[in-house]
Amino acid sequence: MTRRILPFLSPALLALLLFVAFPMVWVFRTSFNELAEGAYIVEAMTLENYTRFLTEPWYLVNTLWFSVRIALLATAISVICAYPVALYIAKTSGLQRNVLMALTMAPLLIGLVTLVYGWIVIFRGGRSHELTHDRPSRI
């Protein structure tokens, strides 16, 4: 079964490796570099950045604790808002349930719809068309 699925997963795994794993490894490796005056970074292997982050109160309060507070607040608000809706949808059935599920999922698609519409505008008479043709087209 794995041999039949692997060819179909290969492009997705390659994209995941290229756009997620490699940048994360690069950022992790860069975090060990040394910051020097007059230079962006100096290639080194030091734990100074981590030591400074975990020992100085400014970093703990302004970055770590702030991030944790925002994450907890966002999680609490999401649970408070989503639980009653999910409970109501679970108690309904038939067409009403399908409509409520569609309305719940619709905001997740808005970004994709906007992106696709933007590509349609660009490639159906936008700037790219003007660059490739002598006269403007009429849609």
Side-chain angles (χ1 to χ4, degrees):
M1 171 126 175
T2 306
R3 288 183 183 188
R4 286 188 287 167
I5 294 175
L6 191 60
F8 296 109
L9 289 180
S10 296
L13 291 174
L14 182 65
L16 189 66
L17 192 66
L18 187 66
F19 296 114
V20 177
F22 286 153
M24 288 180 73
V25 168
W26 181 77
V27 168
F28 181 71
R29 169 58 186 98
T30 305
S31 70
F32 290 103
N33 289 342
E34 189 176 306
L35 185 62
E37 290 186 33
Y40 177 62
I41 53 174
V42 176
E43 291 287 329
M45 286 299 286
T46 179
L47 291 173
E48 179 184 341
N49 297 327
Y50 289 101
T51 317
R52 187 174 352 127
F53 179 78
L54 293 172
T55 56
E56 290 186 21
W58 188 88
Y59 289 111
L60 292 175
V61 171
N62 290 334
T63 56
L64 186 64
W65 178 239
F66 181 74
S67 298
V68 169
R69 279 195 339 228
I70 294 293
L72 290 175
L73 181 66
T75 302
I77 290 172
S78 296
V79 168
I80 290 169
C81 292
Y83 191 77
V85 174
L87 190 61
Y88 182 74
I89 291 174
K91 290 184 178 184
T92 60
S93 62
L95 181 63
Q96 184 181 13
R97 182 180 196 160
N98 292 340
V99 169
L100 290 172
M101 286 296 289
L103 289 174
T104 303
M105 300 301 285
L108 298 174
L109 299 174
I110 288 178
L112 180 63
V113 170
T114 306
L115 177 73
V116 170
Y117 182 70
W119 283 113
I120 289 171
V121 168
I122 288 171
F123 287 115
R124 290 185 88 198
R127 289 282 181 203
S128 65
H129 187 75
E130 292 173 8
L131 294 173
T132 57
H133 293 81
D134 293 335
R135 54 192 153 92
S137 67
R138 295 181 186 226
I139 297 177

